């Protein structure tokens, strides 16, 4: 499927028999659109003496309307563990001026506009209307009764002295009773769990929670962000094919419906966007896409791109760019937090493994480069090792080959902090999903593919392969923002500088 925007910002899609033809077509059309726009700009600057035409705040040249980010934005988090607490505590620390939002593209990143010679590179948060950090309010669900302060202290990611400075705020965020079933997360169990005869009853209780939070917090808009444990591996089946079959399955307690899907259903029914930080299917199902489009509640996922996979999607595009071959990539981790314990169960690990393995295949495209990548061996291991807590160590042994087939090796030893890498992703997703919900062009699309940048297994419409290359993902994200604001897309063609 080729997918491109023309010079007027209209989106086009065309089906091709193979991905190579689709890509070629997409590149050709994008370059053409760029050339047309460059030509128009040139004419316009001649006519206006170089001044830009005035643009309305809400409706721009591409007719995209973006409602202002007025009022509070309520963030609802199923799973108040290491990632969720590091995110919420971090936001509060930043609001109090105690720390900086390092790692957050929305807070620190810029977007270049126009030509390289124009010198226009505003901060993303000043370019598009995002909610401010002061407007965020929080709630969550968990099977344990700890409030955010206690949960953050248990997670052991952030310094206790910092947490103590944030104690009154963090203690005020207490978990609502969870929708949970031990069969989907074998390694944990807890007391703070909802009761109901059917899964539909549980979904109704979640919908009540959502309405209650909206009312009590005074939020004008809401977002759900799944930071719960990784559930056992499930493949999409009959129950997931339509809203009708899913609701029937909810009423009959079908085992194909995992708890995360109940949260997703409740959110989307309430018109609330849903982002999935774990590798579970959750919203990557026909029923959820149907609901998402129907209720204009954007969805995205799956599995935050942190640690080892982040490194993979940085290194692998480099090997491919230089046409270096790959014989094998062996990745292993030691991890001692609760996530590590959950992933020690083969069911949950299988879900994670699927997510981690797909990355290389898609970036390196062995079908296009059989001599370089046709025979690569890719293995991923996660070992639960309590002494390390959240401070994971990930080793990669990469066997590459170069000119005339001569072998070389690269070793990566990444001593990373998982939740420190994940928290800014959560912040960006909250703000950008809220933007999508306020944006006329994005809110009814369902999957927000432009947010692939943040995920190990980006969601796409069925039949379209996901883009895993971090740099292409970043370009896609920034071009989407440019497009929303009626700015010229940047293709890096650059021929106009040499006219
Ligand atoms: N930390 C990272 O860098 C990273 C990266 C990618 C993905 N993830 C995923 O994000 C998720 C959260 O990671 P974490 O490190 O915070 O894990 P964690 O174990 O610290 O927290 C998960 C929390 O979810 C709760 N939970 C489980 N099932 C629930 C349910 N049905 N309803 C409500 N709460 C539920 C658990 O009790 C726990 O408190 C995991 O699925 C993990 O695989 C994390």
């Amino acid at each position: 499927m080729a997918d491109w925007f023309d010079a007027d910002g209209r989106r086009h899609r065309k089906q091709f028999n193979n991905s190579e033809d689709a890509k070629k077509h997409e590149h050709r059309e994008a370059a053409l659109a760029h050339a047309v726009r460059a030509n128009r700009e040139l004419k316009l600057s001649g006519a206006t003496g170089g001044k830009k035409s005035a643009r309305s705040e809400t409706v721009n040249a591409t007719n995209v309307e973006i409602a202002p980010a007025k009022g509070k934005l309520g963030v609802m988090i199923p799973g108040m563990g290491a990632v969720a607490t590091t995110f919420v505590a971090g936001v509060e620390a930043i609001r109090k001026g105690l720390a900086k939002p390092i790692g957050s593209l929305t807070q620190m990143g810029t977007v270049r506009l126009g030509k390289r010679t124009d010198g226009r590179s505003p901060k993303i948060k000043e370019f598009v209307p995002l909610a401010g950090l002061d407007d965020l309010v929080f709630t969550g669900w968990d099977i344990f009764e700890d409030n955010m302060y206690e949960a953050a202290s248990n997670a052991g990611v952030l310094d206790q002295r910092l947490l103590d400075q944030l104690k009154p705020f963090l203690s005020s965020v207490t978990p609502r009773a969870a929708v949970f079933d031990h069969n989907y997360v074998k390694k944990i169990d807890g007391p703070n769990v909802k009761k109901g005869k059917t899964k539909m009853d549980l979904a109704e209780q979640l919908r009540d929670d959502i309405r209650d939070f909206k009312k009590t917090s005074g939020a004008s808009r809401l977002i759900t962000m799944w930071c719960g444990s990784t559930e056992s591996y499930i493949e999409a089946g009959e129950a997931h094919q339509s809203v009708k079959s899913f609701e029937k399955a909810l009423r009959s307690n079908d085992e194909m419906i995992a708890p995360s899907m109940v949260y997703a259903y409740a959110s989307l029914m309430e018109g609330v966007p849903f982002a999935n930080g774990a590798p579970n299917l959750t919203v990557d199902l026909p029923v959820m896409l149907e609901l998402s489009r129907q209720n204009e509640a954007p969805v995205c996922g799956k599995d935050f791109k942190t640690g080892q996979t982040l490194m993979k999607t940085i290194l692998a595009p480099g090997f491919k760019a230089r046409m270096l071959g790959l014989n094998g990539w062996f990745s292993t981790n030691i991890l001692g937090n609760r996530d590590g314990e959950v992933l020690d169960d083969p069911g949950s690990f299988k879900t994670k493994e699927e997510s981690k393995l797909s990355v290389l295949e898609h970036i390196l495209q062995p079908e296009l480069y059989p001599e370089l990548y046709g025979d690569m061996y890719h293995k991923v291991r996660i070992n639960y090792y309590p002494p390390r807590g959240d401070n994971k160590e990930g080793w990669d042994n990469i066997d590459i080959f170069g000119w005339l087939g001569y072998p070389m090796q690269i070793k990566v030893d990444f001593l990373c902090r998982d939740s420190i890498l994940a928290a800014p992703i959560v912040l960006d997703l909250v703000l950008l999903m809220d933007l999508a919900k306020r944006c006329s062009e994005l809110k009814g699309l369902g999957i927000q593919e432009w947010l692939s940048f943040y995920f190990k297994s980006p969601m796409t419409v069925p039949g379209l392969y996901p883009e895993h290359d971090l740099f292409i993902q970043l370009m896609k994200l920034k071009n989407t923002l440019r497009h929303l604001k009626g700015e010229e897309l940047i293709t890096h063609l650059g021929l106009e500088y040499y006219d």
Side-chain angles (χ1 to χ4, degrees):
M1 174 87 82
D3 185 349
W4 73 98
F5 292 101
D6 67 19
D8 299 314
R10 278 190 300 264
R11 186 181 195 160
H12 300 269
R13 285 179 169 170
K14 193 169 169 192
Q15 192 74 46
F16 282 83
N17 287 339
N18 63 60
S19 56
E20 197 183 354
D21 288 350
K23 267 242 152 348
K24 270 193 203 147
H25 188 80
E26 207 172 285
H27 287 158
R28 215 171 24 242
E29 290 292 341
L32 188 70
H34 179 80
V36 171
R37 271 193 306 271
N39 201 13
R40 273 189 210 152
E41 285 268 318
L42 222 62
K43 282 192 186 141
L44 186 71
S45 62
T48 59
K51 284 193 198 112
K52 288 243 155 209
S53 57
R55 288 197 178 105
S56 137
E57 274 303 292
T58 50
V59 183
N60 57 44
T62 48
N63 279 331
V64 177
E65 284 177 51
I66 309 177
K70 255 193 5 222
K72 291 184 196 161
L73 172 61
V75 185
M76 307 189 293
I77 314 179
M80 287 171 38
V83 172
T85 54
T86 306
F87 157 62
V88 176
V91 168
E92 182 62 0
I94 295 159
R95 294 200 283 217
K96 282 179 162 291
L98 299 171
K100 296 235 175 327
I102 313 283
S104 160
L105 187 65
T106 60
Q107 303 305 299
M108 309 204 80
T110 61
V111 54
R112 183 192 119 198
L113 303 176
K115 299 192 175 46
R116 263 182 276 166
T117 43
D118 288 354
R120 295 164 65 213
S121 289
K123 279 199 162 174
I124 288 176
K125 66 177 179 179
E126 284 149 15
F127 178 55
V128 283
L130 298 180
L133 298 196
D134 286 338
D135 292 329
L136 301 185
V137 286
F138 305 95
T139 192
W141 291 269
D142 208 290
I143 63 171
F144 299 110
E145 284 159 341
D146 298 338
N147 63 42
M148 278 268 174
Y149 172 77
E150 292 159 339
S153 303
N154 291 339
V157 178
L158 298 176
D159 194 288
Q160 197 59 42
R161 280 168 305 183
L162 176 68
L163 294 178
D164 287 341
Q165 291 182 72
L166 312 171
K167 187 171 180 182
F169 170 76
L170 290 176
S171 310
S172 73
V173 186
T174 51
R176 294 165 190 270
V179 171
F180 182 75
D181 183 337
H182 178 68
N183 289 320
Y184 301 86
V185 187
K186 294 251 163 44
K187 292 277 175 174
I188 55 172
D189 220 341
N192 194 31
V193 174
K194 289 191 193 312
K195 292 191 174 48
K197 270 212 187 86
T198 68
K199 293 185 179 181
M200 183 58 104
D201 294 339
L202 298 172
E204 289 301 336
Q205 291 176 40
L206 286 177
R207 293 182 68 179
D208 286 343
D209 283 351
I210 295 173
R211 290 186 212 122
D212 173 70
F213 175 58
K214 187 156 192 208
K215 204 161 119 203
T216 52
S217 67
S220 59
R221 299 150 355 255
L222 301 173
I223 295 290
T224 308
M225 185 77 234
W226 175 267
C227 291
S229 311
T230 301
E231 295 172 333
S232 283
Y233 185 72
I234 294 181
E235 279 179 11
E238 199 43 46
H240 308 123
Q241 294 312 312
S242 68
V243 177
K244 207 166 150 214
S245 58
F246 190 81
E247 288 181 341
K248 188 167 159 235
L250 277 174
R251 288 195 191 90
S252 62
N253 284 332
D254 191 324
E255 62 175 21
M256 291 300 282
I257 298 188
S260 66
M261 297 175 196
V262 184
Y263 286 93
Y265 170 81
S267 279
L268 299 178
M269 287 298 281
E270 292 296 315
V272 176
F274 191 103
N276 179 17
N280 327 314
L281 283 181
T282 311
V283 278
D284 200 1
L285 296 167
V287 45
M288 302 302 174
L289 303 188
E290 188 183 331
L291 274 179
S292 165
R293 294 173 78 106
Q294 192 175 300
N295 297 342
E296 298 191 328
V299 292
C300 65
K302 315 176 291 255
D303 207 3
F304 300 129
K305 178 147 73 177
T306 54
Q308 201 165 49
T309 309
L310 173 67
M311 294 309 290
K312 249 177 213 168
T313 64
I314 291 172
L315 291 173
F319 301 152
K320 191 172 88 174
R322 291 295 306 264
M323 291 289 112
L324 293 169
L326 182 74
N327 281 325
W329 197 315
F330 178 76
S331 304
T332 187
N333 298 276
I334 52 174
L335 174 64
N337 60 14
R338 193 181 283 150
D339 187 31
E341 189 181 357
V342 166
L343 293 173
D344 220 26
D345 170 62
S348 293
F349 176 68
K350 170 121 177 80
T351 313
K352 196 65 147 184
E353 190 183 28
E354 288 282 316
S355 164
K356 282 177 167 264
L357 284 179
S358 61
V359 167
L360 282 187
E361 286 278 318
H362 282 111
I363 292 180
L364 298 174
Q365 297 176 292
E367 68 292 352
L368 285 185
Y369 307 103
E371 303 107 306
L372 298 175
Y373 309 118
D375 209 13
M376 67 183 174
Y377 186 87
H378 186 197
K379 191 92 196 158
V380 179
R381 287 262 174 270
I382 298 178
N383 303 289
Y384 178 51
Y385 180 62
R388 284 295 173 90
D390 199 64
N391 296 350
K392 182 164 88 177
E393 182 159 4
W395 289 275
D396 286 282
N397 172 74
I398 313 162
D399 285 293
I400 62 170
F401 55 93
W403 186 241
L404 313 179
Y406 278 69
M408 295 170 258
Q409 288 185 12
I410 298 173
K411 315 275 179 187
V412 180
D413 183 2
F414 190 10
L415 290 105
C416 78
R417 293 173 188 265
D418 248 9
S419 303
I420 292 293
L421 292 167
I425 294 184
V426 178
L427 174 61
D428 284 358
L429 286 172
V430 163
L431 300 182
L432 295 174
M433 285 291 270
D434 173 52
L435 174 73
K437 171 77 184 174
R438 284 182 283 112
C439 178
S440 60
E441 182 157 350
L442 299 179
K443 65 183 176 188
L445 286 186
I447 299 167
Q448 305 296 310
E449 203 206 307
W450 61 289
L451 298 176
S452 301
F453 179 69
Y454 296 106
F455 295 109
K456 283 193 193 81
S457 292
M459 282 169 63
T460 53
V461 279
L464 185 64
Y465 71 81
E467 198 53 80
H468 280 281
D469 177 328
L470 189 80
F471 307 100
I472 295 178
Q473 292 172 329
L474 181 62
M475 199 177 344
K476 192 189 272 284
L477 190 157
K478 289 192 174 178
N479 267 340
T480 305
L481 299 180
R482 292 182 186 107
H483 167 71
L484 296 182
K485 294 286 286 179
E487 288 284 346
E488 190 180 331
L489 304 192
I490 291 186
T491 61
H492 301 287
L493 183 66
L495 292 179
E496 68 273 22
Y497 299 114
Y498 299 89
D499 273 351

